[in-house]
């Protein structure tokens, strides 16, 4: 008998599916219109509404429909450039400020979840990052030691003989642990943010795509499929789901598909053996694989980049299943219940950012680490708009440079992924 195809909806939606909102008329005016009802948009809406501003959040789909309810739920806050790269670009003080803010952003996420009583299965489990070669292990060991010294983060090297104390595999020849990274249920988290934003007084309108934004005297005219709003200020938080409503931003972000598969439920003793510490997991391959136990510790969630541009092809699902079995050979042929995709947004600098353009404010470009960066950047944009010193951020950069996308599609990404895949295969072949 042929196994049923995995569901294309996110596994997370089983517990917290983004829901349609009762359609309400749009107000004629608002102090602030926010475009996008994900982590960033809601992160901006909450402090603004609490400060007494009239806030309207517009979402093209149902609130929380995009990456905020589709991601892996790992609170990494990764920065793609290394500290040495950051120092070369921004000076030693600038690079150090960016790195220090990444620590503050993680800690602020923990505080927010606790203070707002958001039930999202958050656990500060730590993260194990596997090394594929002895040279990579030495690099990770030095990085872990330096991180502990610079920022006081509990981080340490894991030599090969101790790997199985963290993950039941022979795939890695060592690794690095960081204890300031954990996991949460992303769809429950965005649902909790929606609750908090509404309680603060923000109006949230789903299925209201923005079609144009025009600067006018005293503010902006925001046109939507359901009518227009005059706003004193506009904050754009669309990230990987930026559409033709903002063609200027669409030309500055590379929207990349990311895919996650969920295994069928596994026996408790199997899960306990595979993940003895229940940590989040990653490794340093070019194609950026990340994986974790589900919050209820019943199955494995395994993610990576999806080289396709459209459709729901089975090829990327099979590819992720092969990578999963490479790490855990006993899971070869395991049943899959879900395989879904979402969009992340890269930019040429590979850094999250807050910036302004034509009087609009932007929080975007989270480069696959939006669980930490999206809410943080949206909040910073809002606090800066309020004139608060807490709105200062080391991530206030110039607008991203143009990228050669066509109709919002990064036509060149399949070639990039093929090149990355070839490098990964060469690396793994060299270990044999």
């Amino acid at each position: 008998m042929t196994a049923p195809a995995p569901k294309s909806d996110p596994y997370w939606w089983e517990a917290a599916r983004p829901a349609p909102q009762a359609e309400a008329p749009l107000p004629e005016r608002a102090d602030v219109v926010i475009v996008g009802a994900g982590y960033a948009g809601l992160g901006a809406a909450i402090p603004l509404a609490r400060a007494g501003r009239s806030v309207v959040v517009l979402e093209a789909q149902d609130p929380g429909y995009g990456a905020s309810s589709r991601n892996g739920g790992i609170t990494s806050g990764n920065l793609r450039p290394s500290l040495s790269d950051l120092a070369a670009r921004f000076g030693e003080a600038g690079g150090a400020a960016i790195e220090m803010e990444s620590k503050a952003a993680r800690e602020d996420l923990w505080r927010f979840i606790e203070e707002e009583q958001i039930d999202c299965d958050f656990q500060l489990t730590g993260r194990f990052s596997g090394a594929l070669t002895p040279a990579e292990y030495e690099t990770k060991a030095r990085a872990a030691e330096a991180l502990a010294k610079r920022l006081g983060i509990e981080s340490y090297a894991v030599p090969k003989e101790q790997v199985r104390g963290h993950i039941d595999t022979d795939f890695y020849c060592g690794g690095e642990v960081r204890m300031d990274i954990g996991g949460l249920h992303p769809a429950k988290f965005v649902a909790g943010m929606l609750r908090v934003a509404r309680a603060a007084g923000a109006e949230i309108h789903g299925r209201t795509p923005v079609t144009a934004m025009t600067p006018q005297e005293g503010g902006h005219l925001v046109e939507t499929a359901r009518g227009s709003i005059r706003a004193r200020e506009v904050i754009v938080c669309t990230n990987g789901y930026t559409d033709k409503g903002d063609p200027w931003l669409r030309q500055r972000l590379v929207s990349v598909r990311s895919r996650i598969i969920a295994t069928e439920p596994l026996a408790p003793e199997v899960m306990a053996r595979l993940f003895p510490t229940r940590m989040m997991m990653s490794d340093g391959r070019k194609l950026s694989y990340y994986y974790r136990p589900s919050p209820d510790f019943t199955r494995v969630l395994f993610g990576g980049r999806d080289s396709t541009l459209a459709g729901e092809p089975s090829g990327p699902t099979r590819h992720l299943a092969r990578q999963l079995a490479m790490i855990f050979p006993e899971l070869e042929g395991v049943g899959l219940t879900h395989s879904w995709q979402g969009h992340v947004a890269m930019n040429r600098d590979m850094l999250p950012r807050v910036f302004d353009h034509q009087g609009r404010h932007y929080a975007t470009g989270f480069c696959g680490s939006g669980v930490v960066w999206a809410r943080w950047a949206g909040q910073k944009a809002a606090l800066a708009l309020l004139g608060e010193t807490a709105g200062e951020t080391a991530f206030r950069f110039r607008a991203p440079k143009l990228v050669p996308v066509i109709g919002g599609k990064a036509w060149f990404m399949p070639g990039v992924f093929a090149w990355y895949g070839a490098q990964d295969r060469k690396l793994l072949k060299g270990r044999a």
Side-chain angles (χ1 to χ4, degrees):
M1 181 180 293
T2 303
K7 297 178 183 179
S8 60
D9 282 347
Y11 164 72
W12 308 117
W13 289 10
E14 301 286 327
R17 188 182 189 91
Q21 309 298 299
E23 187 171 301
L26 297 178
E28 293 183 2
R29 298 180 179 275
D31 291 332
V32 186
V33 165
I34 298 171
V35 186
Y39 297 156
L42 299 173
I46 292 166
L48 287 166
R50 286 178 171 170
R53 304 298 192 270
S54 59
V55 177
V56 176
V57 184
L58 304 176
E59 168 59 48
Q61 302 288 338
D62 294 326
Y65 172 89
S68 294
S69 64
R70 297 169 178 267
N71 65 81
I74 300 175
T75 64
S76 65
N78 283 341
L79 293 174
R80 301 280 172 168
S82 66
L83 179 60
S84 59
D85 291 337
L86 293 172
R89 290 163 60 182
F90 304 107
E92 288 191 11
I98 290 170
E99 185 187 49
M100 181 62 74
E101 193 163 326
S102 70
K103 178 182 179 182
R106 292 186 195 93
E107 293 173 350
D108 188 66
L109 176 63
W110 313 339
R111 176 202 59 76
F112 177 79
I113 291 170
E114 180 179 6
E115 290 185 356
E116 304 298 342
Q117 299 181 16
I118 296 179
D119 180 9
C120 60
D121 303 323
F122 173 65
Q123 291 184 313
L124 194 59
T125 57
R127 183 191 68 187
F128 173 86
S129 178
L132 298 163
T133 65
E136 187 186 0
Y137 168 69
E138 292 300 328
T139 299
K140 286 182 178 294
R142 291 192 297 271
E145 182 180 4
L147 187 67
K149 288 182 178 178
R150 286 197 311 272
L151 299 183
I153 292 171
E154 183 182 356
S155 56
Y156 54 87
V158 179
K160 184 174 183 177
E161 61 271 18
Q162 296 178 16
V163 166
R164 283 187 177 270
H166 294 81
I167 177 174
D168 187 35
T169 186
D170 292 321
F171 187 68
Y172 301 120
C173 59
E176 167 199 12
V177 163
R178 289 182 58 155
M179 293 306 299
D180 64 331
I181 293 172
L184 52 71
H185 189 300
K188 288 184 180 180
F189 182 49
V190 74
M193 292 190 72
L194 281 163
R195 170 183 59 79
V196 173
R198 289 194 180 101
E203 282 190 40
I204 300 169
H205 295 266
R207 305 191 183 188
T208 309
V210 170
T211 56
M213 294 176 286
T214 308
Q216 293 189 336
E217 184 177 354
H220 307 261
L221 178 66
V222 180
E223 299 175 68
T224 84
R226 296 180 50 229
S228 300
I229 307 175
R230 297 186 184 278
R232 282 198 306 160
E233 305 283 357
V234 172
I235 303 178
V236 180
C237 302
T238 48
N239 202 50
Y241 290 78
T242 301
D243 58 24
K244 59 186 178 182
D246 193 339
W248 177 85
L249 180 61
R250 204 180 192 193
Q251 291 291 323
R252 285 160 174 79
L253 297 177
V254 179
S255 180
V256 177
R257 277 185 158 194
S258 190
R259 181 169 293 274
I260 303 176
I261 56 175
T263 71
E264 63 188 3
L266 304 175
E269 60 271 20
V270 172
M271 290 298 299
R273 185 175 68 254
L274 297 181
F275 297 95
T277 60
R278 303 196 177 204
M279 286 186 175
M280 307 293 107
M281 300 285 169
S282 69
D283 63 41
R285 281 177 283 177
K286 294 289 186 180
L287 287 178
S288 302
Y289 300 103
Y290 52 93
Y291 51 108
R292 57 170 294 179
S294 59
D296 63 1
F297 207 61
T298 61
R299 66 185 76 210
V300 181
L301 308 176
F302 190 93
R305 299 295 175 251
D306 182 332
S307 62
T308 62
L309 297 178
E312 294 287 349
S314 58
T317 299
R318 293 195 300 269
H319 173 77
L320 288 180
R322 288 194 297 270
Q323 299 305 315
L324 173 64
M326 192 177 295
I327 298 169
F328 298 121
E330 69 182 280
L331 297 185
E332 184 171 1
V334 69
L336 304 178
T337 60
H338 299 73
S339 174
W340 72 95
Q341 59 84 20
H343 296 277
V344 300
M346 310 295 184
N347 57 70
R348 289 178 62 176
D349 293 329
M350 297 302 285
L351 282 169
R353 62 217 306 120
V354 177
F355 60 93
D356 298 333
H357 172 71
Q358 289 190 343
R360 298 189 294 271
H361 313 285
Y362 288 83
T364 194
F366 308 125
C367 300
S369 296
V371 178
V372 168
W373 289 121
R375 189 193 67 87
W376 178 261
Q379 176 179 253
K380 287 293 183 180
L383 293 172
L385 191 154
L386 291 170
E388 297 187 16
T389 57
E392 296 175 2
T393 174
F395 289 85
R396 182 167 286 281
F397 302 126
R398 55 171 172 69
K401 297 178 181 178
L402 281 166
V403 290
V405 297
I406 299 176
K409 301 289 186 183
W411 56 269
F412 50 86
M413 288 311 297
V416 171
F417 283 134
W419 179 57
Y420 283 168
Q423 289 183 291
D424 286 342
R425 289 190 295 274
K426 181 179 179 180
L427 174 67
L428 296 177
K429 185 177 179 180
R431 303 191 322 158

